[in-house]
Amino acid sequence: VDLGAGGGRNLSWFLTSDAGYEVHAVEPNPDGLLAFAERRAQLGVELAPERIHACTIEECSLPAQSFDLVILNAVLHFARDEDHFRALFRRSFELVAPGGVFFARLATTVGLEDVLGASGPGWYALPDESERFLADGALVRSETEAVGAEWVRPFKSTVVDRLRTMSTWVLARPV
């Protein structure tokens, strides 16, 4: 399942694979849903309507521990505040099946602490002129511990031309 699937970029490989993955997409934005429909048409792929969920992560009624892979790419930095970040993460991780993997890519403070301007609790004005919620390494580690997740890979961050940092958070639910 791709939470915040947008136009389906992260799902293209799964949709066209011969392995027969049961792909689900969660996307609350009508423009994202339209772009996803266009991508599927370009790929020549049908997807059952019950696998496309027009809802937010918080509103989505998908069953807990039901997905082998949960993708949360470029979503968490749109959290309203730290409580919302925690709620988004915990609901997302709740969907990971035992032995399954959680993959998130998010903007963070890592490596840019000296150039960020705080604009509210957890909110920062970035050098790229955007403003968003940014987690730090301590929040990521505390949330990982809170849900009892296992690290699949170390927490990795890439500083993009000193304008923003994109971090990768890969966890597993113990069996």
Side-chain angles (χ1 to χ4, degrees), residues 105-127:
R105 185 175 154 269
L106 63 153
T108 64
T109 63
V110 177
L112 292 179
E113 296 86 352
D114 62 326
V115 297
L116 294 173
S119 59
W123 276 79
Y124 295 89
L126 283 84

Side-chain angles (χ1 to χ4, degrees), residues 2-4 9-10 71-75 77 103-106 166:
D2 187 357
L3 304 174
R9 177 184 61 173
N10 301 316
I71 301 169
L72 193 59
N73 193 10
V75 173
H77 50 263
F103 173 90
R105 185 175 154 269
L106 63 153
M166 296 306 292

Side-chain angles (χ1 to χ4, degrees), residues 85-170:
F85 175 92
R86 290 177 192 279
L88 288 171
F89 166 69
R90 290 181 186 193
R91 174 59 181 137
S92 300
F93 191 77
E94 179 182 273
L95 297 175
V96 179
V101 173
F102 167 86
F103 173 90
R105 185 175 154 269
L106 63 153
T108 64
T109 63
V110 177
L112 292 179
E113 296 86 352
D114 62 326
V115 297
L116 294 173
S119 59
W123 276 79
Y124 295 89
L126 283 84
D128 70 1
E129 300 184 5
S130 66
E131 190 172 312
R132 61 190 68 215
F133 179 86
L134 300 178
D136 59 19
L139 178 57
V140 167
R141 286 186 293 279
S142 71
E143 283 302 293
T144 299
E145 187 175 311
V147 298
E150 296 175 347
W151 291 92
V152 173
R153 296 278 185 257
F155 187 62
K156 297 177 184 175
S157 300
T158 301
V159 177
V160 182
D161 203 22
R162 299 253 324 135
L163 297 174
R164 68 183 181 282
T165 298
M166 296 306 292
S167 298
T168 305
W169 190 11
V170 187

Side-chain angles (χ1 to χ4, degrees), residues 1-2 10-25 36 40 45-48 50-52 66-71 100-101:
V1 64
D2 187 357
N10 301 316
L11 294 175
S12 294
W13 183 85
F14 295 100
L15 290 167
T16 58
S17 170
D18 291 335
Y21 294 104
E22 183 180 311
V23 174
H24 286 253
F36 186 45
R40 291 190 323 272
V45 174
E46 297 279 334
L47 190 61
E50 63 271 13
R51 293 188 185 177
I52 302 168
S66 57
F67 293 94
D68 295 322
L69 174 62
V70 172
I71 301 169
V101 173

